Amino acid sequence: MRKIKHGKLAAGCADACCLKLEGLSVRLEGDSILEDVSFHLHCGEIVALIGPNGAGKSTLFRSILGQMGYKGSITFAPAGGPAIRLADGTVTGGTRPLVGYVPQAPSFDRGDPVSVLDFFTAATARWPVWLPIPAKYRDRAAACLARVHGEDLLNRPMGGLSGGQLQRVLLALALEPVPHILILDEPLSGVDIEGEHQLLDMLDELRTQYDLSIFLSTHDFATLGQFADKVILLNRQVLKSGTPEQVLSSPEFYETFHLRMGKGGG
Amino acid sequence: MALWYALVDLLPFEWAQPGQMYFMKHALLAVLVITPLFGILSTMVVHSRMSFFSDALGHSAFTGMAIGALCGFHEPTWAAVIFALLFALLFNMVKRRSALASDTVIGVFSSTAVALGIFLSTLGGRSFTRFNSLLIGDILSVEPEKIGVLALILLLIVGLWAVSFNQLMLSAVHPALADSRGVRVFWQETVFSMAIAVVVTLSMTWVGLLVINSLLVLPAAAARNVARTMQQYHLFSLLGAVLSGVAGLMTSYYVGGSAGAAITLYLAVWFALTFLVRKK
């Protein structure tokens, strides 16, 4: 299923574009949500974020998206270019990275009068979607959906999509325009096995095609080894990071999820 | 207005004869301006689950009237508009900063506004009855200048819809997703709730406070029963609002009774009809 594994894990980011988080801390109403979180995210790399509920995964995503105040720094260095500090928004030379975001299961009721085309056009174009949508936008939405093999979904109601189909529509949206960093908040929850394989293959394809870094959170540890270059175990702090094998066999992992470390079971 | 009179004179109704019954002709024009306003706003009120909020705004509009009257303004409506705008802004700011559920915040605001309104309007032992007309509304008393103001508001709302409907819709679906695509969610929501505030306050005198919220809920609720796309949703909402508006006015003319209430009843029938043929 995997075509290449990125070989830059241990190396620095001198030659590749890189998102650096250094000493990131977030406090909300007196509670510490994230403490001194530091790691790097390279282009073409798939990094999985794991941790129990309430570990701060969504908060970490929202910090990168700039939707949350934080201490510490998040900087983006494009390949060969100068580093850009994300928080200030004052970009000095170079471009601010585009971050594509696939949120966790947005709520669509079955009866919502929103077609996939309406949703897509509303998010990507200025054309008001309460007017009949011109062919130009229809074609563009179809082309974007084709990237995720979802052309046939264009006229379906958003509320009638399966979990996997909804994820694909949201992924197509996050890829328009193609971002530097793609963030997916629990893309595998509510998706059946077939949808899961389809989605993971697609992410692998996208990564090689566009050389973007993919950062996703998941609770599905069984598949981690198949797609992730790096796994970060988060519970307010980074408890462990490394290859899937390293993290999944670490005492930190067992402790966090209250599993017993016993040799030979029991 | 002359053009409008000439147009109406072509209609085959007894009140449409040239040179008489101007109040009815004004009322018809007013209905044709007010109902599209509500038909449009209704789509977003229902889609973003703001019906409780718009209900609370109606209450605050009444309080604004009471404040305006107390200050001795000749035209308390404008005081009410300003009060409703402040109410909407303050509500959105509190909602953003508070961890409370939005219906709780609405409850806090709504009860405060109503209490303030009743207190101010009965201050010094005055009777509340002079505000009764606001509760029921009277479309037949509408004056041409007021229709002009409402028409201007209709134009503004259509303009607002053209530039910010997409962003509003996205904010309602998923605020964080909207934000990640550059939508300023707070301002979109605030401007939208201010638009509702202005429309509710300005049309309250004609439609009646007690039924005004139904005009913001029923058109789109009925449209949701049958619409599959945003275009159909708007079409059915507008159609339902305008048809019910005209039918309600006619009924109220021929059998008496409040026009606002009659319009609402027609909308309820429209809802029932669409419910029967709803999409599966």
Side-chain angles (χ1 to χ4, degrees):
Chain A
M1 136 179 210
R2 292 286 312 280
K3 281 148 206 123
I4 57 153
K5 267 230 181 195
H6 220 269
K8 288 181 189 140
L9 273 184
C13 8
D15 54 339
C17 63
C18 177
L19 183 79
K20 298 178 196 175
L21 283 82
E22 270 150 49
L24 188 81
S25 298
V26 175
R27 293 182 77 82
L28 267 185
E29 287 167 7
D31 293 329
S32 169
I33 311 290
L34 291 175
E35 267 173 41
D36 196 25
V37 171
S38 304
F39 60 86
H40 291 184
L41 213 67
H42 301 119
C43 278
E45 209 174 59
I46 298 184
V47 178
L49 184 64
I50 62 172
N53 289 326
K57 297 187 296 270
S58 294
T59 303
L60 181 54
F61 288 155
R62 297 191 61 193
S63 305
I64 297 175
L65 285 164
Q67 298 177 354
M68 203 136 228
Y70 55 83
K71 276 198 196 123
S73 77
I74 303 180
T75 48
F76 177 73
I84 297 150
R85 217 178 141 88
L86 282 194
D88 333 313
T90 48
V91 178
T92 48
T95 46
R96 202 182 159 83
L98 276 170
V99 184
Y101 174 53
V102 178
Q104 194 175 354
S107 55
F108 279 99
D109 291 340
R110 257 203 106 64
D112 271 343
V114 184
S115 69
V116 172
L117 175 64
D118 292 340
F119 177 69
F120 216 93
T121 309
T124 56
R126 288 192 172 277
W127 181 265
V129 293
W130 45 276
L131 292 173
I133 295 171
K136 183 172 108 182
Y137 299 109
R138 176 177 287 275
D139 294 345
R140 191 168 82 184
C144 292
L145 285 168
R147 279 188 196 149
V148 296
H149 312 297
E151 307 88 316
D152 53 324
L153 300 176
L154 194 61
N155 292 313
R156 296 275 298 275
M158 288 298 286
L161 300 180
S162 73
Q165 289 169 330
L166 183 58
Q167 286 294 349
R168 279 195 281 153
V169 170
L170 293 170
L171 180 59
L173 186 60
L175 292 171
E176 174 61 31
V178 175
H180 296 95
I181 300 153
L182 180 63
I183 288 179
L184 302 98
D185 201 347
E186 307 217 355
L188 303 179
S189 65
V191 176
D192 59 20
I193 300 228
E194 201 198 318
E196 187 174 318
H197 279 290
Q198 218 175 0
L199 202 65
L200 291 175
D201 280 343
M202 220 174 282
L203 291 182
D204 197 47
E205 212 177 286
L206 290 168
R207 170 189 55 171
T208 42
Q209 198 176 345
Y210 300 111
D211 198 34
L212 41 81
S213 30
I214 298 176
F215 191 29
L216 58 85
S217 60
T218 179
H219 282 296
D220 187 355
F221 308 134
T223 50
L224 277 179
Q226 295 166 29
F227 70 88
D229 294 294
K230 187 160 95 177
V231 175
I232 295 172
L233 173 62
L234 184 82
N235 195 4
R236 277 206 349 247
Q237 298 164 305
V238 175
L239 298 179
K240 181 85 188 167
S241 73
T243 63
E245 299 79 32
Q246 283 168 355
V247 172
L248 292 180
S249 61
S250 66
E252 289 87 351
F253 174 76
Y254 281 84
E255 205 173 295
T256 305
F257 292 99
H258 306 293
L259 302 168
R260 292 187 62 184
M261 190 62 177
K263 291 182 182 104
Chain B
M1 276 328 273
L3 177 68
W4 172 247
Y5 295 144
L7 266 174
V8 180
D9 289 348
L10 300 174
L11 293 174
F13 299 112
E14 51 156 313
W15 52 265
Q17 299 304 311
Q20 51 165 329
M21 306 288 266
Y22 284 113
F23 68 89
M24 188 61 186
K25 293 167 187 174
H26 295 161
L28 181 62
L29 185 58
V31 161
L32 288 179
V33 174
I34 291 175
T35 52
L37 262 177
F38 282 91
I40 293 172
L41 288 178
S42 172
T43 58
M44 213 50 224
V45 167
V46 169
H47 193 72
S48 54
R49 295 162 206 214
M50 286 175 66
S51 58
F52 189 33
F53 171 73
S54 58
D55 197 37
L57 265 183
H59 299 153
S60 83
F62 148 73
T63 305
M65 287 286 199
I67 293 176
L70 196 71
C71 297
F73 290 144
H74 174 60
E75 199 67 82
T77 316
W78 295 110
V81 169
I82 292 167
F83 183 79
L85 283 174
L86 288 176
F87 181 92
L89 181 65
L90 200 64
F91 164 77
N92 276 289
M93 283 164 64
V94 170
K95 192 180 77 169
R96 182 164 74 155
R97 280 177 174 71
S98 145
L100 293 171
S102 103
D103 65 337
T104 311
V105 179
I106 295 169
V108 169
F109 271 77
S110 175
S111 45
T112 311
V114 171
L116 185 66
I118 294 175
F119 183 76
L120 289 178
S121 56
T122 52
L123 211 59
R126 273 181 297 179
S127 155
F128 185 79
T129 44
R130 67 211 159 93
F131 286 105
N132 278 358
S133 64
L134 278 185
L135 299 182
I136 312 293
D138 183 10
I139 190 90
L140 296 179
S141 65
V142 72
E143 300 134 24
E145 312 85 75
K146 296 287 160 45
I147 304 176
V149 173
L150 289 168
L152 186 68
I153 300 285
L154 176 61
L155 276 179
L156 288 175
I157 295 291
V158 171
L160 175 73
W161 236 231
V163 294
S164 73
F165 179 79
N166 288 1
Q167 291 152 344
L168 265 175
M169 190 185 114
L170 216 56
S171 308
V173 169
H174 201 295
L177 175 67
D179 186 289
S180 82
R181 302 204 67 94
V183 176
R184 297 168 76 179
V185 176
F186 173 75
W187 285 110
Q188 289 292 338
E189 285 177 347
T190 303
V191 168
F192 173 58
S193 46
M194 285 177 149
I196 300 179
V198 171
V199 171
V200 165
T201 313
L202 286 181
S203 42
M204 173 173 61
T205 322
W206 327 117
V207 178
L209 187 54
L210 290 176
V211 293
I212 204 157
N213 199 44
S214 61
L215 278 181
L216 276 172
V217 174
L218 278 170
R224 256 186 86 97
N225 281 334
V226 285
R228 288 173 193 281
T229 65
M230 272 292 146
Q231 300 87 55
Q232 295 170 358
Y233 186 44
H234 278 81
L235 183 69
F236 285 120
S237 183
L238 265 178
L239 204 67
V242 175
L243 289 182
S244 303
V246 174
L249 180 65
M250 296 298 155
T251 306
S252 128
Y253 174 80
Y254 286 108
V255 305
S258 152
I263 293 170
T264 305
L265 289 175
Y266 275 106
L267 276 171
V269 172
W270 174 249
F271 178 84
L273 286 177
T274 54
F275 183 76
L276 289 176
V277 298
R278 70 188 177 280
K279 60 188 183 224
K280 295 293 186 297

